[in-house]
Amino acid sequence: MTTVSLTSTPLAKTRTDAVVLATTSGDDPRVLGLDALPKQARAAVESAARVVGATGAADELLKVPAPGGLGASLLVLAGTGADGADALTDETLRRTAGSAVRQLAGTGSVTLALPATTAAQAGAVAEGAVLGGYVFSGHPGSTEPVGAVEVLVADAKDKESRAAVERAQVVGSAVNGVRDLVNTPPNLLYPESFAERARTLAKGTKVDVTVLDDDALRAGGYGGLVGVGQGSTRGPRLVRLEWKPRKATGHYALVGKGITFDSGGLSIKPAKSMETMKSDMAGAAAVLHTVLAAARLNVPVRVTGWLALAENMPSATAQRPSDVITIRGGRTVEVLNTDAEGRLVLADALVAAGEEDPDVLVDIATLTGAQMVALGNQVSAVMGTDDVRGAVVAAAGRAGEQFWPMPLPEELRPSLTSPVADMANIGERYGGMLVAGLFLREFTDGRPWAHLDIAGPAFNEGGPRHYVPKGGTGVGVRTLLSLLDSAAQA
Ligand code: BES
Ligand code: MN
Ligand code: ZN
């Protein structure tokens, strides 16, 4: 893992493998932070930037030999994509740091001499470094991530800056933990092993873990988890996590969809659509690592986490289209399409979470292909009650994630009616993401609630970009942690 620390040692005296400077884009690309270099090196770096044709575009990374007078052999010019120093935001800094550290994988030590003057900026650079330093350890022969990153600031002893870096380390590691779970092949990560991972990760922390296995789920009337899980030889689990600080300013219940593989069940998916379905547990992974991070950060909010874990498989024991199941609490659902399984396991978990009377319910799920049609793979959707939906959008904005508010139109609700049960699990095709949200709303008991659909953003099928690698992205953790922070301040 990439470790990050602050330094105020002048670059002339820093022994490191690579020094990274930021470049701006536009008509007049500039190298920023030249004054951190020894005087005699500044002109050399500016001319090197011209010679290699630095444009300052985002994700641009140009390596030049370090000029004399530096304790490094490599000088790296990292594009910010910002048109001038005034256009730099915390997110630009996060991305620039992440892009550089990601592309420098294989380098032992890196010093980031980016324009970070405030504590928030130092934290953003540090967070970008941890996120960009991610390499999935499950691939044999993968490049070693950058070992140590130093963030150059005016005062490395500044309390606020140190706290920001510490937080960045915790938050970044939580995101990376989600990426690891999502990238793990589904033959190795299944409901039981996921629950076991939750237990292992919580060991030695103040997070309490309870696991309901298939027998307990049947006995408890969790018909959604049982129905979805019954097609697999590897039974479902419901994991409950709890972080309960001494003086809590409220109780947030976080519910995550944890389908460890979604084949569609008997309503089977086309082969191509199945290829990324190991990522269908990204919501549960985000909840797990959010609760663990909340405890590490000592967030003064009580948080319960619910991981609704099942493998959706077709078999002689699988649920059939037209089966009627009973969700915890007694409501019945006609399962018309076994590929609309996420809402079934979430319904059980939302009811269970609600039984403890939390102040706010939030669920997060790779729920619908319609989310990707509506918003693509870099913007997540949030639905729910106005207050919590707004709080999620604001929290995401502060955290550097993109969540867009979506409606729950009453007009679509009748499409979920069933002649044989309280509801069907599918409705009107158009607006499918909203229909799924309306389905979930039925199980929230009118509580303040938000539903986060991360179907597209959870898994990056394209090439890496800034601090986002290929594969699992870890989306949602930063927004949820920022949401808990705002709750703590309320
Ligand atoms: N896990 C999928 C949604 C999904 C699709 C996530 C693509 C990420 C990428 C979900 O279980 C599903 O299959 N949803 C169906 C619902 C439909 C049958 C109403 C869908 O979106 O097609
Ligand atoms: Mn499905
Ligand atoms: Zn699914």
Side-chain angles (χ1 to χ4, degrees):
M1 207 199 57
T2 307
T3 60
V4 182
S5 55
L6 291 170
T7 181
S8 303
T9 308
L11 288 177
K13 291 191 182 144
T14 303
R15 298 189 73 69
T16 177
D17 293 324
V19 169
V20 179
L21 293 178
T23 52
T24 56
S25 63
D27 299 337
D28 183 23
R30 291 290 173 97
V31 182
L32 299 178
L34 284 169
D35 47 352
L37 295 171
K39 270 208 178 65
Q40 68 276 18
R42 293 173 195 170
V45 169
E46 279 190 303
S47 88
R50 262 194 308 275
V51 170
V52 297
T55 68
D59 273 331
E60 179 179 82
L61 201 80
L62 298 165
K63 299 176 184 178
V64 300
L70 278 192
S73 46
L74 200 61
L75 187 104
V76 179
L77 302 170
T80 58
D83 196 349
D86 297 342
L88 282 172
T89 63
D90 285 0
E91 176 63 5
T92 331
L93 286 171
R94 197 180 284 116
R95 289 184 177 199
T96 306
S99 187
V101 172
R102 173 172 58 75
Q103 296 184 73
L104 287 169
T107 311
S109 60
V110 170
T111 301
L112 298 176
L114 304 178
T117 45
T118 67
Q121 288 169 336
V125 170
E127 191 175 280
V130 176
L131 294 173
Y134 175 77
V135 175
F136 179 49
S137 51
H139 297 308
S142 50
T143 323
E144 277 295 301
V146 171
V149 170
E150 290 200 315
V151 177
L152 183 64
V153 291
D155 179 9
K157 292 213 164 66
D158 176 62
K159 278 224 172 65
E160 265 185 72
S161 302
R162 290 170 66 112
V165 170
E166 233 166 84
R167 180 185 163 88
Q169 191 89 236
V170 173
V171 173
S173 308
V175 174
N176 290 343
V178 175
R179 293 170 173 178
D180 269 341
L181 284 166
V182 170
N183 290 334
T184 302
N187 57 329
L188 304 181
L189 189 79
Y190 44 95
E192 183 184 14
S193 66
F194 196 137
E196 216 36 64
R197 281 278 267 277
R199 271 201 213 283
T200 310
L201 288 167
K203 202 155 276 164
T205 75
K206 286 185 180 151
V207 173
D208 181 66
V209 182
T210 324
V211 180
L212 299 188
D213 65 9
D214 8 13
D215 288 338
L217 291 172
R218 250 188 306 276
Y222 294 87
L225 279 154
V226 170
V228 172
Q230 75 190 32
S232 172
T233 52
R234 305 187 291 190
R237 296 287 186 275
L238 179 65
V239 178
R240 178 185 181 277
L241 307 151
E242 181 174 18
W243 157 243
K244 195 174 182 180
R246 252 181 240 287
K247 277 195 201 129
T249 55
H251 175 190
Y252 275 58
L254 311 179
V255 175
K257 171 180 174 182
I259 301 299
T260 58
F261 184 72
D262 182 12
S263 71
L266 287 177
S267 312
I268 198 163
K269 288 182 182 295
K272 207 68 202 151
S273 315
M274 247 183 250
E275 284 176 7
T276 57
M277 282 302 119
K278 68 172 178 182
S279 67
D280 212 18
M281 33 55 70
V287 168
L288 169 59
H289 280 284
T290 297
V291 179
L292 292 168
R296 283 182 70 184
L297 295 168
N298 211 358
V299 175
V301 177
R302 180 180 173 206
V303 188
T304 45
W306 299 84
L307 317 182
L309 307 174
E311 186 178 45
N312 189 22
M313 296 292 270
S315 79
T317 61
Q319 62 177 347
R320 293 148 289 255
S322 79
D323 275 2
V324 174
I325 62 176
T326 305
I327 302 298
R328 175 150 174 113
R331 233 146 345 159
T332 58
V333 175
E334 182 185 15
V335 181
L336 287 176
N337 189 318
T338 64
D339 198 12
E341 84 297 340
R343 60 198 74 181
L344 303 177
V345 301
L346 287 172
D348 272 342
L350 283 168
V351 171
E355 286 166 5
E356 298 182 350
D357 202 21
D359 301 304
V360 175
L361 262 177
V362 178
D363 74 76
I364 177 164
T366 47
L367 203 62
T368 65
Q371 182 280 324
M372 304 172 75
V373 176
L375 295 173
N377 52 26
Q378 294 189 40
V379 180
S380 302
V382 53
M383 289 144 271
T385 54
D386 289 352
D387 47 350
V388 190
R389 188 186 62 186
V392 169
V393 171
R398 287 191 302 271
E401 292 191 319
Q402 291 181 270
F403 277 80
W404 196 255
M406 285 294 192
L408 292 171
E410 292 305 333
E411 296 83 351
L412 293 176
R413 175 61 185 83
S415 72
L416 284 166
T417 53
S418 161
V420 296
D422 293 328
M423 253 193 302
N425 78 327
I426 54 170
E428 164 77 42
R429 189 168 86 87
Y430 294 117
M433 167 172 64
L434 319 178
V435 173
L438 285 163
F439 181 94
L440 293 178
R441 189 182 66 180
E442 296 294 319
F443 301 92
T444 61
D445 207 11
R447 292 171 198 286
W449 157 72
H451 159 53
L452 282 51
D453 194 337
I454 56 168
F459 196 79
N460 178 18
E461 291 185 69
R465 57 175 189 269
H466 49 86
Y467 52 73
V468 178
K470 251 182 99 64
T473 63
V475 72
V477 170
R478 292 188 290 144
T479 294
L480 290 174
L481 284 170
S482 154
L483 181 70
L484 294 176
D485 253 3
S486 64
Q489 261 124 54

